[in-house]
Amino acid sequence: MSYEVDLEVFKGPLDLLLHLIKKHEMDIYDIPIAEITAQYLAALDAMKSLNLDIAGEFLVMASTLVHIKSRMLLPVEAEADSEEEEADPRAELVHRLLEYQRYKQAAVTLDEYHILGRDVFARSCCEDTEESEGNAELQPVGIFELVEALQGLLREAPPEPVHEVVREKLSVAERVSMLLELLGDCRSLAFEALVSRRPNREELVVTFLALLELAKLRMIRIMQNQRCGSIWLFPTETDAGRELPLQDENFGYC
Amino acid sequence: MRDVNCRCRMKILDTAELKAVIEALLFAAPGPVRLEQLALAVEAEPDRVKRQLDELEKEYRHMQRGFVLVELADGYQLRTRPEHAEWVRRLHSSRPVRISRAALETLAIVAYRQPVTRADIEYLRGVDSGGVVKSLLDKRLVRIVGKMDAPGRPLLYGTSREFLEFFGLRTLKDLPTLKEFTELTRESESLLLDFEAGIEEEPSPAAPEESGEG
Amino acid sequence: MRDVNCRCRMKILDTAELKAVIEALLFAAPGPVRLEQLALAVEAEPDRVKRQLDELEKEYRHMQRGFVLVELADGYQLRTRPEHAEWVRRLHSSRPVRISRAALETLAIVAYRQPVTRADIEYLRGVDSGGVVKSLLDKRLVRIVGKMDAPGRPLLYGTSREFLEFFGLRTLKDLPTLKEFTELTRESESLLLDFEAGIEEEPSPAAPEESGEG
């Protein structure tokens, strides 16, 4: 393969064009359009022969080049005599290449900065300490950040059930102790989190019975916030015998 | 990553630089660091590292510095001096903090889905959100707007006047519609539209008691 | 709270101790700290505090220490030295930050041309940039600063405070001007004029209708 270009490296058609211009020492302000088009198409062929997916942008640029080339072949129209320069079909491409080159180099410069988390490090102990600083004033944020947060959230929600439980025979007692363990260090747990991703009937029944046992023992509270909504489990305070009235104050916070 | 970061052979550190690097490691570490970890990271014998730790410890103690080096069960750690605790606390309380991701997410859910229960929030966020809700209540960005007519009568939350002020909105109607954010990706578009279904109208501030959710 | 936390009158700090306390505050703060916040916390005039900050800065720089003091958009922060990056990375628990060239190009365009639409970015880069923009939004290096008053009302992007912190900048003005990058002939400069309109001035961080952040 005569094209020993590292194809992975090119971030786009403009990048590839700049490379070809530099490599063949062309004058960017007077690009030999026939030659660059040939080089460019050859590069695309090289990509194809390597079975690389050629992004649509590369093909669009190919047709742009061919188009410019064909316009260059047309005889100069009489009306263009006053401002020949403006009629150069390559003008926009040159604009774009020069512009792209500037940002490409700006990117290189940015890369040389001492980047936080890569080249320099700040103290990393104290991120998100917000909970502990109950009444600290908050820095203002834009409304768009709010929506961005939501968008990020929706990308992941609703959460996948996290526990894949493997077992051969199910007993209610085992389930009870397993649930207690799960509940041990959480303040609440969704029912879905208790069963495997595709629970079979048996698993569901045993889990449900175990929950009822626990509820009877007053070791958990079971809540559902709407009909058909998800079921939530809340472990009760340690002394299991004590009756816990379902007060609002009890609902939320510890 | 740039070339400079890839040099795999590292030079052997002279004593003064070793001390500086150890200081850097202690400074940047998220918690206590064991002697062996330090030695491994700087490629020096533990004895040599220990000597520099002792040096640093003495230095911090004798010179008037802002922190000291303490040896804990699971390693060494830099800590501010107990005498300075009051000032540190003051800074923490006077310093406007950045709103946490958790708080922002929770606010977003409350804003767009109000009235909403804590369980709704937790379902969407996938994590326990009691602490965040409480802190938002404390900051008055969120308020209790009623109780749901359902078993357990869970509390319903909505946004407050302070919420509007905080985000510089005149009314809830000024909240950007989620659709306006869908241009980024097709994928998020469907997510957002799902989410928004039902609250197409102005998110009405609190329709407590009766509201059975959208 | 114990009694010791409630003493409300604090002694006035002598210079040496003031410096130590400032060091402690910088050390303990979870992010950059503004001069005014420091002054408030230590009950000293900003000038006096500034002098100690300068002292500390010099001290860290000249003595072989593990960190330096940098001034950023949001105030002062202690950071490890770039020369120590490799060692710190080795010990650091979290994966080192990586930033792709596509991301850097996009950041450069956003930084120099803000407020900018996704279409602008894609025109300049010549490739679809939705994914990069999204990931920069996720990393909070780029933020949505408003919507363009044009058909379709496309979103406008700008750099965030985190962008400045990420690159260790005090302001956008600290970025080198774009011109330094190219040796342009006079004719070619006129070609570029229309592109440059608007960025020749200080790249002002966007004041669109729905400006986020202060």
Side-chain angles (χ1 to χ4, degrees), chain C residues 63-93:
Chain C
M63 324 269 284
Q64 230 167 347
R65 298 229 69 103
F67 40 80
V68 288
L69 181 61
V70 292
E71 194 184 345
L72 304 156
D74 264 350
Y76 293 86
Q77 188 174 40
L78 298 177
R79 290 185 169 187
T80 58
R81 306 175 100 95
E83 310 89 277
H84 296 163
E86 184 59 29
W87 283 284
V88 178
R89 262 199 299 268
R90 282 171 165 221
L91 191 70
H92 225 251
S93 48

Side-chain angles (χ1 to χ4, degrees), chain A residues 26-33 72 88 90 94:
Chain A
M26 297 174 192
D27 177 1
I28 194 167
Y29 303 112
D30 186 19
I31 302 174
I33 200 74
M72 297 286 287
D88 191 333
R90 299 170 296 180
V94 174

Side-chain angles (χ1 to χ4, degrees), chain A residues 130-153:
Chain A
E130 202 239 333
E131 323 289 344
S132 62
E133 293 154 22
N135 47 9
E137 199 188 319
L138 292 175
Q139 280 176 8
V141 288
I143 188 69
F144 284 106
E145 282 196 49
L146 189 69
V147 191
E148 280 162 28
L150 185 60
Q151 203 181 27
L153 196 62

Side-chain angles (χ1 to χ4, degrees), chain A residues 36-178:
Chain A
I36 193 84
T37 305
Q39 297 287 354
Y40 184 88
L41 293 175
L44 290 200
D45 280 345
M47 286 195 211
K48 267 184 217 145
S49 66
L50 290 173
N51 283 325
L52 291 176
D53 273 341
I54 298 176
E57 298 103 8
F58 283 96
L59 303 175
V60 171
M61 180 58 76
S63 74
T64 305
L65 289 173
V66 171
H67 180 67
I68 293 173
K69 193 172 114 184
S70 67
R71 281 181 60 201
M72 297 286 287
L73 293 174
L74 293 176
V76 179
E77 307 266 327
E79 37 148 326
D81 60 342
S82 55
E83 286 168 286
E84 279 159 58
E85 281 305 300
E86 284 221 329
D88 191 333
R90 299 170 296 180
E92 198 205 343
L93 184 62
V94 174
H95 277 285
R96 290 187 67 187
L97 285 170
L98 286 172
E99 272 295 278
Y100 177 67
Q101 182 174 247
R102 309 174 87 196
Y103 290 110
K104 194 181 152 180
Q105 292 186 21
V108 171
T109 307
L110 279 180
D111 199 26
E112 281 159 4
Y113 276 80
H114 299 318
I115 288 175
L116 186 63
R118 187 187 73 179
D119 310 308
V120 294
F121 297 82
R123 293 253 297 151
S124 51
C125 62
C126 333
E127 282 157 27
D128 272 341
T129 48
E130 202 239 333
E131 323 289 344
S132 62
E133 293 154 22
N135 47 9
E137 199 188 319
L138 292 175
Q139 280 176 8
V141 288
I143 188 69
F144 284 106
E145 282 196 49
L146 189 69
V147 191
E148 280 162 28
L150 185 60
Q151 203 181 27
L153 196 62
L154 290 174
R155 220 172 290 134
E156 283 134 40
E160 302 263 15
V162 274
H163 293 284
E164 297 265 10
V165 188
V166 193
R167 93 210 69 77
E168 317 81 53
K169 258 276 170 75
L170 295 168
S171 86
V172 174
E174 268 170 32
R175 261 284 120 146
V176 166
S177 61
M178 198 199 88

